[in-house]
């Protein structure tokens, strides 16, 4: 079976910094994969390329066989809204909107009407244990609460893939494990593919498979789906 996500010999530089130099990986539908490696090794850059946020300088990115790196920006934005959910380290929530509105807006981008989006947003906040955050703006949330809200937003749209960049990075380890556990159990229940960037071995251990990035390249055979 062909992989759901694929990177082939991907390179990306920022000025003179070569963040990626020939990274390759394959991820199958429904897999929970940790992308690990030391800080600065290129993990986030690889995640951003896979999610169609960044376009590589060279190499190929495929989602369901489609060359994501060849799509124009509008099409990549649409793909992200329709098929992907992202959870970044510091939440990435819209500061002017309440938690409930942050989740609802993601659903409205997907075509839901305001009332329905609002109702579903509340349901998802409940599922991740963040009901009490609904009326609060991101500035009034703790790090853990913001991450739960970001997770509700990422999962609410029923994405095929969730990209999580150090989703527990701003938390202590107990809260971190709980939030991660929530993400993974929800994803496994729905057959959602998860790509989890982390520098923490304990977190990588929660994944089905680990892909190690060093100096901008994936190392060894584990980069390819079994
Ligand atoms: P990791 O996620 O493994 O910590 P990153 O992908 O964030 O690594 O970064 C890889 C390298 O690219 C680092 O040297 C980092 O400083 C650099 N880098 C990443 N993003 C940018 C950017 N937007 N502008 C300049 N340099 C960047």
């Amino acid at each position: 079976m062909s992989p759901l996500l694929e990177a082939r010999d991907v390179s990306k530089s920022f000025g003179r910094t070569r963040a990626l130099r020939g990274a390759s990986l394959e991820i199958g539908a429904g897999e929970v994969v940790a992308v690990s490696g030391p800080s600065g090794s290129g993990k986030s850059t690889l995640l951003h390329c896979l999610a169609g946020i960044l376009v590589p300088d060279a190499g190929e990115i495929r989602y369901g066989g489609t060359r994501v790196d060849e799509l124009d920006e509008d099409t990549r934005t649409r793909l992200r809204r329709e098929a992907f959910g992202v959870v970044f380290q510091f939440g990435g929530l819209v500061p002017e909107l309440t938690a409930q509105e942050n989740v609802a807006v993601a659903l409205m981008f997907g075509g839901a009407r305001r009332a329905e989006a609002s109702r579903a947003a509340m349901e998802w906040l409940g599922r991740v244990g963040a009901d009490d955050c609904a009326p609060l703006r991101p500035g009034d949330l703790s790090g853990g609460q913001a991450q739960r809200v970001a997770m509700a937003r990422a999962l609410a749209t029923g994405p095929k893939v969730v990209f999580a960049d150090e989703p527990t990075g701003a938390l202590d380890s107990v809260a971190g494990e709980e939030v991660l556990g929530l993400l993974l159990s929800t994803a496994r229940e729905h057959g959602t593919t998860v790509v989890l960037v982390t520098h923490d071995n304990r977190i990588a251990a929660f994944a089905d498979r680990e892909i190690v990035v060093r100096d901008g390249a994936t190392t060894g055979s584990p980069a390819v789906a079994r």
Side-chain angles (χ1 to χ4, degrees):
M1 212 174 69
S2 56
L4 183 64
L5 278 168
E6 196 175 357
R8 280 271 155 266
D9 282 330
V10 170
S11 296
K12 178 75 183 174
S13 293
F14 300 99
R16 286 155 71 149
T17 306
R18 294 182 69 196
L20 292 176
R21 43 182 104 199
S24 299
L25 57 75
E26 291 183 359
I27 296 171
E31 269 200 294
V32 173
V33 170
V35 175
S36 67
S39 184
S41 57
K43 305 181 296 295
S44 297
T45 306
L46 182 55
L47 188 89
H48 284 77
C49 288
L50 286 168
I53 297 166
L54 283 174
V55 177
D57 303 329
E60 301 173 2
I61 301 286
R62 283 191 176 76
Y63 169 71
T66 299
R67 280 285 294 273
V68 174
D69 56 291
E70 290 181 341
L71 301 175
D72 62 37
E73 194 170 337
D74 287 350
T75 314
R76 281 187 280 116
T77 301
R78 202 172 335 123
L79 173 69
R80 278 204 302 282
R81 281 183 185 160
E82 287 172 2
F84 300 161
V86 295
V87 186
F88 291 146
Q89 186 170 355
F90 298 108
L93 301 170
V94 181
E96 295 81 8
L97 301 180
T98 65
Q100 186 175 5
E101 287 164 347
N102 263 282
V103 180
V105 158
L107 290 159
M108 285 161 71
F109 276 137
R113 289 173 179 274
R114 183 180 291 271
E116 167 58 16
S118 221
R119 191 199 57 74
M122 208 52 227
E123 201 175 297
W124 275 99
L125 288 173
R127 248 174 244 175
V128 301
D131 342 37
D132 50 341
C133 302
L136 304 179
R137 292 195 164 72
D140 296 321
L141 299 175
S142 72
Q145 287 174 325
Q147 247 146 358
R148 282 170 198 263
V149 174
M151 216 164 273
R153 186 187 55 177
L155 292 166
T157 54
K160 295 273 185 261
V161 184
V162 171
F163 293 99
D165 194 352
E166 302 280 8
T168 60
L171 305 179
D172 67 71
S173 62
V174 175
E177 282 192 18
E178 194 183 314
V179 171
L180 185 69
L182 265 170
L183 169 66
L184 297 189
S185 60
T186 310
R188 287 191 165 114
E189 197 178 308
H190 292 85
T192 311
T193 306
V194 178
V195 187
L196 181 68
V197 160
T198 183
H199 65 276
D200 187 337
N201 287 337
R202 289 168 306 170
I203 295 211
F206 282 85
D208 301 335
R209 189 158 65 90
E210 185 175 356
I211 294 172
V212 180
V213 179
R214 278 190 204 288
D215 295 330
T218 41
T219 58
S221 56
V224 176
R226 283 168 295 204

